[in-house]
Amino acid sequence: MAFPIHAVSWASYDDLLFVRQAADIGLGNWLGDYNNLTLSKGIGYSLFMLVNHATGLPLKFSEHAFYLAVSVYFSVTIAQLYRSRVAALVCFFLLAFIPTAWVAGAGGRVVREGLYISQTLLILTLAIRCWVFHHSLSAASQLRRQWRQLVALGLVSGWFWITREEGIWLAPSMLLLMGYWLLRQVDWRTQRRPILAFLALPLVAASMVVMAVNTVNYAVYGTFRNNDFRSNDFQAGYGALTRIRHDNWQRYVLFPKDARERAYEMSSAARELKPFFEGGGAQPWLAAGCDQTQTSHCPEILSGWFMWALRDAVAHAGHYNSARDSRAFYRRLSAEIEEGCRQHAGVCLPMRKTLLPPWHEGYFTDTLKASWAVFRTLATLGKFPAYIQASEGETKYLALFDAVTNGPLAPTANSLGPWGEHTLKSPRDELRMQWAQNLTTAIIPFSTYGLPLAFIAWLLWSAVAGLKLISRHAIPSPGWWVASAIAGGIITRVVLLGFLEATSIPSNNMLYLFPLVPFSLVLLPIIFLGLLRCQRHF
């Protein structure tokens, strides 16, 4: 409660977009009039914000309360797994006092990460309870006992999927836990149907959530989807432009001047984009990319911002008045570029329908280096102390933030709070923030050394478990599977962010790492307790 919202009301593609969509849904307008931002991001966070608005509780209070509830659920689950109350206490302490919750640029903003962190931890907890517990029972018995948890896992996973666009990063962890459950099943001949039903139930529940959103979007906008960036038509149009060869390769540049000129020659659809890209419309995106990457010589729009510039260019050309029109434009753009590439041999790369940049020989080593840097940032938690940051933007938009989130907002830099500061802190809140800073100072060193130590211990545990599997045909203990699922989630997201850092956009920051912090904090105690338990049974 001592931590006000850092409102960034000029962020019309992020913070302000979520607030506006929550307001539009609440007013009965669904996501508002159709434009190039309507289906650009998932609505999971806006729905949460709307429900919270109805309660009258401050948004950050509700985010933290939800997170703490999930932390209790996870801690109790680990305690039941190891039959240790100490495990629950240690895990909950580390989760409850997560330092990044008090970092204005991460936990203080009105962005999806404040909810995404709880969704991620809740999915992991439900997966452990569904696929690691009760493995001694038959599949039919487990299905009768756990169907509610399976449905809950599916519903939360569907909500997770419509909140952010890169939800696939958690799939390896889920597949690992599911694999353990499958290895424990016996008598497949008589249990085939219960086993398939057990696996299918979460998928069906998740699909229902996603399909419900898709259906509403189809009824309102005439397009059966929940996110444009996952759609075949946008990826086809985007991929068509990025397959045109460049005279000189430049890092982070997908559609330079020479490629644009070739596109204009090939496609009438591409020529409709020329006034935007060659005029002043592209300048804000060019400047944003250059500023954030601190690139001195920066004549082109960089890849992390090109997908947004492309959507703005299509809107500028008048093709975002309806979903049908924009869909048809991207398909026409793709078809015309494809035909032009056939007529001009050697001008284009192979056909692409993806948002991934064309592969370059240096990307592999660059990704490894960037992933290591991202891992170091995660281990040190960015070395950020707890702090409050002034809100930014126009007064009318700040008022919208305050109304939708139920406040409180940190005052802007040109206004003073009631205690003569640029915050809403009272002397009591000042004391509470001091405690937060002290806890941050204590937990950061633990994480800095604990996370690398946890990975070393996990690798050793994995080697021993592998030898036992080969020599004794003994399946590793449940604790190893849980620790491996957590470690796998960390590795997957760190490498994903490392790849983005190397190829597209600055991604080595605590905002993108926020959902991993609970994983990184609890990995060491889970491995330590698991090794102790294995030693007792050795």
Side-chain angles (χ1 to χ4, degrees):
M1 295 302 294
F3 192 71
I5 287 172
H6 168 43
V8 188
S9 67
W10 53 261
S12 57
Y13 290 72
D14 290 297
D15 310 48
L16 181 57
L17 176 63
F18 302 128
V19 171
R20 278 176 162 169
Q21 289 188 339
D24 279 327
I25 298 172
L27 294 171
N29 300 327
W30 191 229
L31 301 178
D33 296 333
Y34 188 81
N35 56 45
N36 57 312
L37 293 181
T38 302
L39 299 180
S40 63
K41 294 192 174 182
I43 67 168
Y45 184 52
S46 295
L47 292 174
F48 176 81
M49 203 183 310
L50 177 63
V51 172
N52 175 76
H53 175 77
T55 68
L57 295 171
L59 176 65
K60 289 302 166 183
F61 176 85
S62 297
E63 286 181 3
H64 290 182
F66 181 40
Y67 171 74
L68 290 174
V70 174
S71 298
V72 169
Y73 191 36
F74 175 83
S75 302
V76 170
T77 299
I78 297 301
Q80 291 175 346
L81 178 69
Y82 288 139
R83 295 172 183 167
S84 166
R85 294 182 178 179
V86 173
L89 181 62
V90 171
C91 287
F92 182 70
F93 175 83
L94 292 172
L95 292 173
F97 296 112
I98 174 174
T100 43
W102 298 307
V103 174
R109 289 181 60 183
V110 185
V111 287
R112 298 172 288 184
E113 281 72 15
L115 173 65
Y116 200 60
I117 184 175
S118 302
Q119 292 175 321
T120 303
L121 189 60
L122 182 54
I123 289 175
L124 176 66
T125 307
L126 288 167
I128 293 171
R129 301 190 77 89
C130 289
W131 294 327
V132 178
F133 286 8
H134 309 297
H135 54 71
S136 60
L137 301 175
S138 67
S141 299
Q142 292 181 72
L143 184 60
R144 287 192 296 270
R145 177 176 293 191
Q146 295 180 253
W147 70 268
R148 294 179 182 84
Q149 290 180 333
L150 290 168
V151 171
L153 174 61
L155 294 177
V156 176
S157 297
W159 184 25
F160 175 83
W161 188 256
I162 63 171
T163 298
R164 282 193 63 89
E165 292 72 54
E166 78 290 356
I168 196 68
W169 72 271
L170 203 54
S173 300
M174 299 298 101
L175 291 174
L176 196 63
L177 296 177
M178 188 186 300
Y180 172 69
W181 184 84
L182 287 171
L183 287 174
R184 302 295 300 179
Q185 303 312 303
V186 295
D187 198 5
W188 278 71
R189 292 182 180 179
T190 60
Q191 295 289 310
R192 185 178 304 168
R193 288 184 178 180
I195 288 173
L196 292 177
F198 198 92
L199 296 176
L201 193 55
L203 294 176
V204 172
S207 299
M208 289 175 60
V209 175
V210 177
M211 292 301 105
V213 175
N214 290 359
T215 301
V216 176
N217 285 335
Y218 180 78
V220 178
Y221 303 118
T223 182
F224 191 77
R225 65 181 57 160
N226 56 83
N227 189 279
D228 276 343
F229 288 116
R230 294 190 182 120
S231 65
N232 289 330
D233 48 89
F234 180 80
Q235 292 191 10
Y238 182 93
L241 297 179
T242 58
R243 67 180 292 204
I244 302 174
R245 294 185 183 275
H246 312 170
D247 291 340
N248 298 294
W249 181 83
Q250 304 171 66
R251 182 179 298 277
Y252 301 147
V253 176
L254 296 177
F255 196 46
K257 177 71 173 180
D258 55 294
R260 294 199 300 273
E261 293 299 334
R262 294 186 179 110
Y264 301 150
E265 293 178 5
M266 294 180 188
S267 165
S268 62
R271 286 194 292 275
E272 293 186 47
L273 308 180
K274 185 174 181 178
F276 180 89
F277 282 117
E278 310 309 326
Q283 289 303 310
W285 292 115
L286 190 152
C290 297
D291 290 344
Q292 290 193 36
T293 57
Q294 298 181 349
T295 304
S296 55
H297 179 66
C298 189
E300 304 287 356
I301 299 174
L302 302 184
S303 55
W305 294 263
F306 173 64
M307 61 184 184
W308 297 105
L310 174 59
R311 295 175 69 84
D312 279 4
V314 175
H316 185 267
H319 292 290
Y320 263 106
N321 296 320
S322 69
R324 180 175 298 178
D325 187 14
S326 63
R327 186 168 60 241
F329 178 84
Y330 288 120
R331 290 175 178 171
R332 178 164 66 93
L333 176 65
S334 175
E336 291 176 354
I337 296 292
E338 173 65 19
E339 180 61 27
C341 289
R342 278 199 296 265
Q343 295 178 6
H344 300 81
V347 172
C348 302
L349 298 170
M351 187 174 182
R352 311 179 71 252
K353 290 186 177 182
T354 177
L355 299 184
L356 294 174
W359 184 256
H360 187 265
E361 59 184 6
Y363 281 165
F364 181 76
T365 55
D366 290 346
T367 297
L368 291 180
K369 293 177 182 177
S371 298
W372 177 243
V374 172
F375 181 81
R376 291 202 307 269
T377 301
L378 176 63
T380 61
L381 300 177
K383 297 181 179 179
F384 284 116
Y387 70 94
I388 294 173
Q389 190 168 340
S391 295
E392 308 167 35
E394 297 181 35
T395 302
K396 63 177 181 179
Y397 294 131
L398 290 176
L400 180 63
F401 269 73
D402 187 60
V404 173
T405 65
N406 300 327
L409 307 185
T412 57
N414 57 2
S415 63
L416 296 179
W419 300 96
E421 299 177 349
H422 299 298
T423 69
L424 291 181
K425 293 186 294 183
S426 67
R428 179 192 62 183
D429 291 340
E430 180 71 33
L431 178 63
R432 296 162 78 177
M433 283 300 297
Q434 184 62 50
W435 274 99
Q437 291 171 352
N438 292 340
L439 285 165
T440 300
T441 304
I443 292 177
I444 285 178
F446 166 82
S447 177
T448 301
Y449 298 102
L451 184 59
L453 179 61
F455 267 91
I456 293 172
W458 173 66
L459 291 173
L460 294 174
W461 193 4
S462 299
V464 173
L467 291 175
K468 287 184 178 180
L469 179 63
I470 295 172
S471 61
R472 305 180 189 177
H473 301 287
I475 298 176
S477 66
W480 179 85
W481 292 89
V482 171
S484 297
I486 295 173
I490 293 174
I491 293 171
T492 303
R493 190 167 181 88
V494 164
V495 172
L496 171 63
L497 294 178
F499 177 76
L500 291 174
E501 177 80 18
T503 64
S504 302
I505 190 172
S507 303
N508 186 10
N509 58 69
M510 287 312 301
L511 181 63
Y512 292 163
L513 284 168
F514 201 11
L516 277 187
V517 177
F519 284 27
S520 67
L521 291 177
V522 300
L523 182 59
L524 182 60
I526 286 175
I527 292 176
F528 179 73
L529 292 167
L531 289 173
L532 284 180
R533 188 170 179 80
C534 289
Q535 186 179 17
R536 292 173 185 170
H537 290 82
F538 185 72

